[in-house]
């Protein structure tokens, strides 16, 4: 987290003598709860819409007690913070109210009075009774999971009553969830989200003039599924979804590349070469594609060398009077 925008101690201004650091800090802060139980100071402005109720949020946070420099709670040591759902994973009332006031990219400091934090009892041994706590929170991203969950719980007939834009939005949310899980290397759960999005798109009929919107959305999901199955070490499924993507866009370099990767893993070298050469034709200077072609050439060379060695060993002349031990080379 970045350092506070204003010092906690030594604030100038009349009437500051005899006040604690948090009391002095609170004079600068915005009341967002209506009773001064949750106060906010924006360190860096965000952009876009406010966080929606019941959203799943990606935040970095650190919580501090007054007169303590080190946080009593923080997730900033994590390389990738965990996606948390408001009301379930985030149970501190003040933090939930604070996050609901934020926009993507925003960094803010909050003071939570005991009623909005750990109450009269505190949380022994870390949090003393009746403690006001300070949290610095950075909102990296959020996903409106409530809308998606409610829509997916409906029957197919009920879903069909909604406009296409609603279906596309829910499918995009499911894909975004999958992307987040993929980045956390949780490939199985990413696959589940991608398949959920694909089912919605395949089940939905569209007017001819709108079909291109559905196909574009399906293409993104199919590409992600192909990549995910490569990570899950299931190249046959990766090839299947890559070929499904090519039905939509036969010149899509990513789809051709994924199919080539899958065929290489399955040692189907000719098919791998066909896919990768087509991908290279679309993107001649793509570093990943060119490296995969080099890898294919190396694998194929090793394969042919082993084939030659095996043939040589099988058909090499030998002395009829040789011992069993001498002829055992055929069975290595």
């Amino acid at each position: 987290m970045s350092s506070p925008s204003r010092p906690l101690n030594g604030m100038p201004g009349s009437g500051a003598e005899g006040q604690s650091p948090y009391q002095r800090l609170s004079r600068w802060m915005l009341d967002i709860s209506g009773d001064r139980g949750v106060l906010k100071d924006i360190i860096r402005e965000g952009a876009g819409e406010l966080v929606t109720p019941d959203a799943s949020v990606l935040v970095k946070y650190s919580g501090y007690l007054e007169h303590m420099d080190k946080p009593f709670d923080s997730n900033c040591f994590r390389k990738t913070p965990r996606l948390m759902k408001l009301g379930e994973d985030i149970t501190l009332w003040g933090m939930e109210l604070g996050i609901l006031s934020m926009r993507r990219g925003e960094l803010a400091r909050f003071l939570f009075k005991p009623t909005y934090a750990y109450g009269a009892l505190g949380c022994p041994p870390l949090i003393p009774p009746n403690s006001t706590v300070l949290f610095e929170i950075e909102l990296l991203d959020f996903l409106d999971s409530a809308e998606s969950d409610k829509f997916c719980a409906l029957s197919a007939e009920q879903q069909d009553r909604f406009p296409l834009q609603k279906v596309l939005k829910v499918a995009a949310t499911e894909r975004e969830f999958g992307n987040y899980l993929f980045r956390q290397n949780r490939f199985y759960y990413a696959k589940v989200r991608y398949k959920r999005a694909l089912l919605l798109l395949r089940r939905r009929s569209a007017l001819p003039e709108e079909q291109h919107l559905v196909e574009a959305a399906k293409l993104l999901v199919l590409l992600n599924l192909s990549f995910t199955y490569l990570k899950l070490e299931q190249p046959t499924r990766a090839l299947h979804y890559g070929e499904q993507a090519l039905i939509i866009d036969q010149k899509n370099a990513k789809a051709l590349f994924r199919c080539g990767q899958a065929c290489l893993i399955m040692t189907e070298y000719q098919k791998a070469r066909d896919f990768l050469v087509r991908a290279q034709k679309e993107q001649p200077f793509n570093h990943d594609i060119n490296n995969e072609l080099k890898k294919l050439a190396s694998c194929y060379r090793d394969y042919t060398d082993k084939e030659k060695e095996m043939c040589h060993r099988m058909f090499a002349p030998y002395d009829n009077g040789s011992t069993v031990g001498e002829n055992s080379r055929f069975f290595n």
Side-chain angles (χ1 to χ4, degrees), residues 303-320:
Y303 169 75
T304 54
D305 287 346
K306 288 178 181 178
E307 287 287 297
K308 289 177 183 177
E309 182 183 352
M310 183 177 295
C311 290
H312 176 74
R313 292 168 64 189
M314 288 179 65
F315 298 107
Y318 65 94
D319 185 354
N320 287 335

Side-chain angles (χ1 to χ4, degrees), residues 65 72 92 114-115 117-133:
L65 291 170
F72 63 82
L92 208 63
T115 306
Y118 299 96
L121 298 178
C123 188
L126 287 177
I127 314 296
N130 290 308
S131 291
T132 294
V133 295

Side-chain angles (χ1 to χ4, degrees), residues 256-291:
L256 292 166
F257 179 52
R258 301 295 177 224
C259 290
Q261 286 180 298
C263 289
L264 178 54
I265 294 171
M266 294 187 290
T267 67
E268 296 185 14
Y269 297 124
Q270 186 57 54
K271 286 182 68 175
R273 183 182 182 279
D274 291 343
F275 281 122
L276 292 172
V277 168
R278 287 169 61 190
Q280 188 186 51
K281 183 179 178 181
E282 299 302 321
Q283 295 185 5
F285 304 107
N286 185 295
H287 183 74
D288 293 331
I289 294 172
N290 292 330
N291 279 347

Side-chain angles (χ1 to χ4, degrees), residues 24-287:
R24 292 198 297 274
L25 178 63
S26 68
R27 296 168 57 231
W28 295 85
M29 303 179 81
L30 176 68
D31 178 12
I32 64 170
S33 61
D35 60 358
R36 299 197 62 79
V38 179
L39 302 175
K40 178 179 181 181
D41 179 27
I42 297 176
I43 300 171
R44 184 183 67 232
E45 295 280 354
E49 300 176 353
L50 293 173
V51 174
T52 53
D54 299 318
S56 293
V57 298
L58 194 62
V59 295
K60 287 185 177 180
Y61 65 85
S62 294
Y64 298 87
L65 291 170
E66 200 164 19
H67 306 295
M68 292 184 66
D69 294 329
K70 292 184 178 180
F72 63 82
D73 186 19
S74 178
N75 72 343
C76 292
F77 62 88
R78 293 173 179 262
K79 184 177 180 181
T80 304
R82 183 170 61 92
L83 197 67
M84 296 185 290
K85 189 173 178 62
L86 294 177
E88 293 182 12
D89 301 308
I90 296 178
T91 55
L92 208 63
W93 189 14
M95 182 180 284
E96 182 162 346
L97 287 177
I99 289 172
L100 287 170
S101 74
M102 300 181 75
R103 306 176 193 274
R104 287 184 178 88
E106 182 178 326
L107 174 63
R109 181 193 300 132
F110 297 90
L111 279 178
F112 305 144
K113 294 293 178 64
T115 306
Y116 291 88
Y118 299 96
L121 298 178
C123 188
L126 287 177
I127 314 296
N130 290 308
S131 291
T132 294
V133 295
L134 181 145
F135 270 80
E136 283 193 0
I137 301 174
E138 181 179 11
L139 178 64
L140 304 175
D141 201 0
F142 71 90
L143 297 171
D144 188 356
S145 55
E147 182 181 16
S148 176
D149 291 341
K150 289 176 183 177
F151 185 83
C152 291
L154 299 174
S155 66
E157 293 75 15
Q158 290 172 318
Q159 291 177 2
D160 288 340
R161 297 172 192 162
F162 287 86
L164 177 62
Q165 290 300 325
K166 174 75 171 183
V167 179
L168 294 174
K169 182 180 179 183
V170 172
T173 299
E174 290 298 312
R175 180 171 59 83
E176 288 169 5
F177 264 105
N179 291 347
Y180 170 78
L181 293 164
F182 186 97
R183 289 192 294 270
Q184 284 200 320
N185 296 327
R186 298 169 66 186
F187 303 120
Y188 175 83
Y189 297 102
K191 174 200 72 174
V192 171
R193 288 290 187 171
Y194 292 143
K195 283 194 169 183
R196 195 168 165 181
L198 187 60
L199 178 62
L200 288 173
L201 295 168
R202 282 179 167 171
R203 201 164 60 189
R204 180 57 186 251
S205 58
L207 297 173
E209 60 269 24
E210 295 179 322
Q211 188 59 36
H212 71 283
L213 298 174
V214 177
E215 295 300 296
K218 283 167 60 177
L219 178 61
L220 294 175
V221 177
L222 289 166
L223 290 171
N224 289 354
L225 272 169
S226 182
F227 196 14
T228 302
Y229 273 109
L230 285 173
K231 293 293 187 179
L232 288 169
E233 300 181 352
Q234 297 183 41
T236 304
R237 301 300 296 165
L239 177 61
H240 168 76
Y241 285 108
E243 290 178 326
Q244 290 290 308
L246 289 172
I247 292 174
I248 298 173
D249 180 3
Q250 62 180 348
K251 293 185 177 182
N252 187 281
K254 280 188 178 180
L256 292 166
F257 179 52
R258 301 295 177 224
C259 290
Q261 286 180 298
C263 289
L264 178 54
I265 294 171
M266 294 187 290
T267 67
E268 296 185 14
Y269 297 124
Q270 186 57 54
K271 286 182 68 175
R273 183 182 182 279
D274 291 343
F275 281 122
L276 292 172
V277 168
R278 287 169 61 190
Q280 188 186 51
K281 183 179 178 181
E282 299 302 321
Q283 295 185 5
F285 304 107
N286 185 295
H287 183 74

